[in-house]
Amino acid sequence: MADLFRLTLAQLNPTVGDLAGNAAKARTAWEAGRAAGADLVALTEMFITGYQTQDLILKPAFQDAAIAAIHDLATACADGPALAIGGPALQEGRLFNAYYILQGGRITATVLKHHLPNDSLFDEKRLFTPADVHGPYTINGVRIGSPICEDAWHPDVVETLAETGAEILLVPNGSPYHRGKPNLRLNLMISRVVESGLPLVYLNMVGGQDDQVFDGSSMVLNPGGHLAAQLPQFDEHVTQITFRRTPEGWRADAGEIAPIPPIGEADYRACVLSVADYFAKTGFKKAVLGLSGGIDSAIVAAIAADALGPQNVRCVMLPSEFTSAHSLEDAEKCARALGCRLDTVPISAAQGAVLDTLAPLFAGTEEGITEENIQSRLRGVMLMAISNKFGEMLLTTGNKSEMAVGYCTIYGDMNGGYNPVKDMYKTRMFLTARWRNENHRPWMKGPAGEVIPERIITKPPSAELRANQTDQDSLPPYEVLDAILEGLVEREASVAELVGEGFDRDTVKKVEHLLYIAEYKRFQSAPGTRLTQKAFWLDRRYPIANRFRDQSR
C-alpha cells in the first residue's frame, strides 16, 4: 500500500465555449503533473465548457461536443496520472453537472452534483438535474471523495463520503468573487474538515466571465482545519501537493501559503482582471473611453491601462461650453500620467446643430434636463463612432451610486460594452483612487505613481451639463446617499429601519423612489464587474413596471 499520494492542482482560467482551448489547458496541466510524478491532476468544475455557461449548456450540440472532448482527453491522457475534470453529463436524457475521472484511456468514474445553487447569480436548477450523492472513487489505491462546489457548502454530502470510506476530499469549484468570499469559503471548508476528520482540497478556477470574476484562492486543509497550502488569489497557478499516510490518516505536506490581499486591492484586481478577460474572450484588444476630468472616468482609465496596457487605451475629452478649464487640465494630466492617448472632440457645434434642429418643436418650452442630456447623448454618439471606426471597445464609467439612482443618461454616458466600476459606490471610488496612486503591483500594466491627479479626487463631483453644476445639487451628499443605498440594495432594509438608523425619512423616500424608477436604465446598461452580492444584473432582479413603495415608518 502506497504511503504517498501526489496531487497536481491546476487553478486555471477556462473560456466559456472554447472546448479545444480548455482541453489544451487541461492537457498542459496533465503533462506538468506527469513530469512531477503525480497520481492525479485535478481541474475545476465544468472546466471543459468554461463556467458559467448559462443557457448555452442546454444546447444539445454543445453538450455532445463537450462530452466528446472529455472522451478525447481520456484517450490523449492514457499514459500517466489520472485526470479529474468538470463537464456536463447526460444520463437517461437528463443533464448533470459532473466531475469526470479519466485514467488509463477511459472514464473510470463520473461524480454528479447533488446540491444545485439557485440563488444570487446561480440558476443551476433550471439547467441541471440534482443527482443522488456519489461515493468515493479510487486512484492508485486511495479513496477520493469529490463534493462538487455547492455540495461542500452543506454537511450531508461530505458526511456520506466520509461514511463510505473517503480518505481525502477534493472539491472542484466555480466560485466567483465577492468581498469577503475567501474567508467565507475558508470557514465553511474548515467546518467540513472538522465534521469529517478528513483532509480537504478546495480547488477554484480563476478568470473573468462577463460580470463574474473567479478568484482562485484554492487551499488545502488538514484535519483540525490547519491550512497546509493556499494558492494565489486571481492568478493561474499549477502546483504539486504531497499527501502522506500517517497512523491518523492522510496528511498534506506544508506548501506555499499565498496571502489574500485586503478588500480594496482585491476589488481593484477584480476590475482589472474582468476587463482583461472580457476583452480577450470577446476578441477586442483596444479600449476607448470618455475622460471627463472627474474621478469615475479617471479610475476606469487606470483600470483599462492596467488591464490592457496604456498603449491600447484611447481617452477622449468631449468638452462643451460648460466644461471647466480645470476639467480639461485634469483629464490631460491623468492621460499623460497613465501614458494613454488623449484626443479632444468638442461637441459645441454638434450641440448647436441639434438644438437648432429641435428649436421649432421646443419653442415656448423651458430649457432644462432635456438640453443637458443632449450633451451626454452627443458624447455617446461621438464615442461610439470612434469605437466603430477603430475597433476599440467603449468602456462606460458610471459608478454604482449613479447607476442606483439613475444619475446617468441612457444612450449617452451609459453607452459602452463594459463597465468595470458598475458595482462600486462613489465613496469607494475615492478610496480606490488613493489606493491606486499609492500602490503598484506586478500585474498592473500601467505605470506606478500618482496616475489620478489629486484635484480629481478632492474637487466636488459634477456632470458639467450646466453652469456651476455639482452632483449634490440633485443628490444627497455621497456619504449619505451610499449609506442609504447600502441599506436599500445590499441589505434590503425597510424605510423604517433606515429611519431608525438616523436617516431623514424624506431623503430615504427620495432615494427609494429614484432607485425604483431607474430600473429601466439598469436593464439596458452594459455588464460590469461584480464585487458584491447585490450587483445590478444577475444578483438583483427587479421589475421595471413596479408601483410598490415602502410605507413603513
Side-chain angles (χ1 to χ4, degrees), residues 61-195:
F62 184 60
Q63 298 167 9
D64 294 343
I67 294 168
I70 296 284
H71 283 276
D72 290 345
L73 271 175
T75 302
C77 300
D79 184 20
L83 177 65
I85 183 169
L90 284 169
Q91 294 184 6
E92 299 177 347
R94 295 180 297 170
L95 181 66
F96 296 90
N97 181 329
Y99 200 54
Y100 290 91
I101 312 304
L102 317 179
Q103 191 170 25
R106 63 190 183 90
I107 297 170
T108 58
T110 306
V111 180
L112 305 178
K113 193 171 183 178
H114 175 64
H115 289 290
L116 300 178
N118 207 61
D119 58 357
S120 184
L121 48 78
F122 294 102
D123 290 314
E124 288 207 359
K125 286 185 179 179
R126 72 187 296 268
L127 303 176
F128 300 109
T129 302
D132 294 333
V133 179
H134 196 284
Y137 51 89
T138 301
I139 303 292
N140 299 349
V142 180
R143 295 187 298 278
I144 311 293
S146 283
I148 301 173
C149 198
E150 187 79 7
D151 286 345
W153 290 56
H154 305 271
D156 57 340
V157 176
V158 169
E159 180 183 6
T160 300
L161 287 167
E163 290 174 348
T164 53
E167 298 173 277
I168 298 171
L169 298 172
L170 168 62
V171 186
N173 292 272
S175 179
Y177 170 80
H178 64 69
R179 292 178 195 138
K181 192 71 169 287
N183 281 338
L184 175 61
R185 297 187 193 116
L186 176 61
N187 290 333
L188 282 166
M189 293 309 107
I190 287 175
S191 295
R192 301 294 88 84
V193 168
V194 170
E195 292 159 2

Side-chain angles (χ1 to χ4, degrees), residues 27-365:
R27 178 73 182 271
T28 299
W30 177 82
E31 289 170 351
R34 180 172 63 174
D39 294 285
L40 173 64
V41 177
L43 292 119
T44 51
E45 177 183 17
M46 294 295 288
F47 187 86
I48 197 66
T49 59
Y51 192 72
Q52 293 191 69
T53 60
Q54 298 180 293
D55 284 4
L56 177 62
I57 199 63
L58 298 178
K59 193 174 186 67
F62 184 60
Q63 298 167 9
D64 294 343
I67 294 168
I70 296 284
H71 283 276
D72 290 345
L73 271 175
T75 302
C77 300
D79 184 20
L83 177 65
I85 183 169
L90 284 169
Q91 294 184 6
E92 299 177 347
R94 295 180 297 170
L95 181 66
F96 296 90
N97 181 329
Y99 200 54
Y100 290 91
I101 312 304
L102 317 179
Q103 191 170 25
R106 63 190 183 90
I107 297 170
T108 58
T110 306
V111 180
L112 305 178
K113 193 171 183 178
H114 175 64
H115 289 290
L116 300 178
N118 207 61
D119 58 357
S120 184
L121 48 78
F122 294 102
D123 290 314
E124 288 207 359
K125 286 185 179 179
R126 72 187 296 268
L127 303 176
F128 300 109
T129 302
D132 294 333
V133 179
H134 196 284
Y137 51 89
T138 301
I139 303 292
N140 299 349
V142 180
R143 295 187 298 278
I144 311 293
S146 283
I148 301 173
C149 198
E150 187 79 7
D151 286 345
W153 290 56
H154 305 271
D156 57 340
V157 176
V158 169
E159 180 183 6
T160 300
L161 287 167
E163 290 174 348
T164 53
E167 298 173 277
I168 298 171
L169 298 172
L170 168 62
V171 186
N173 292 272
S175 179
Y177 170 80
H178 64 69
R179 292 178 195 138
K181 192 71 169 287
N183 281 338
L184 175 61
R185 297 187 193 116
L186 176 61
N187 290 333
L188 282 166
M189 293 309 107
I190 287 175
S191 295
R192 301 294 88 84
V193 168
V194 170
E195 292 159 2
S196 66
L198 298 176
L200 181 148
V201 177
Y202 184 96
L203 178 60
N204 192 28
M205 63 180 279
V206 295
Q209 174 57 36
D210 296 344
D211 65 319
Q212 297 157 52
V213 181
F214 298 88
D215 63 312
S217 309
S218 303
M219 57 188 152
V220 180
L221 294 167
N222 275 322
H226 304 294
L227 189 64
Q230 184 165 267
L231 277 56
Q233 191 176 31
F234 299 111
D235 290 322
E236 288 193 302
H237 197 76
V238 177
T239 193
Q240 316 302 323
I241 302 295
T242 299
F243 287 90
R244 299 180 187 273
R245 191 188 298 273
T246 74
E248 293 78 31
W250 290 95
R251 299 292 184 269
D253 286 355
E256 173 191 3
I257 298 181
I260 299 296
I263 285 174
E265 178 173 345
D267 272 9
Y268 189 82
R269 179 79 188 273
C271 293
V272 170
L273 180 56
S274 71
V275 169
D277 272 6
Y278 195 73
F279 274 65
K281 294 177 180 182
T282 57
F284 282 84
K285 293 180 172 58
K286 294 178 179 290
V288 59
L289 67 134
L291 192 66
S292 67
I295 191 167
D296 298 340
S297 61
I299 290 175
V300 172
I303 289 168
D306 286 335
L308 308 172
Q311 72 280 8
N312 293 314
V313 180
R314 181 199 300 262
C315 299
V316 184
M317 187 73 194
L318 298 126
S320 74
E321 61 178 299
F322 302 116
T323 302
S324 63
H326 65 72
S327 289
L328 293 168
E329 294 165 4
D330 293 342
E332 182 178 4
K333 188 175 180 181
C334 181
R336 188 167 58 246
L338 285 167
C340 300
R341 172 174 176 164
L342 177 65
D343 294 312
T344 301
V345 180
I347 65 166
S348 295
Q351 180 186 3
V354 171
L355 291 175
D356 287 345
T357 302
L358 291 170
L361 190 62
F362 285 7
T365 65

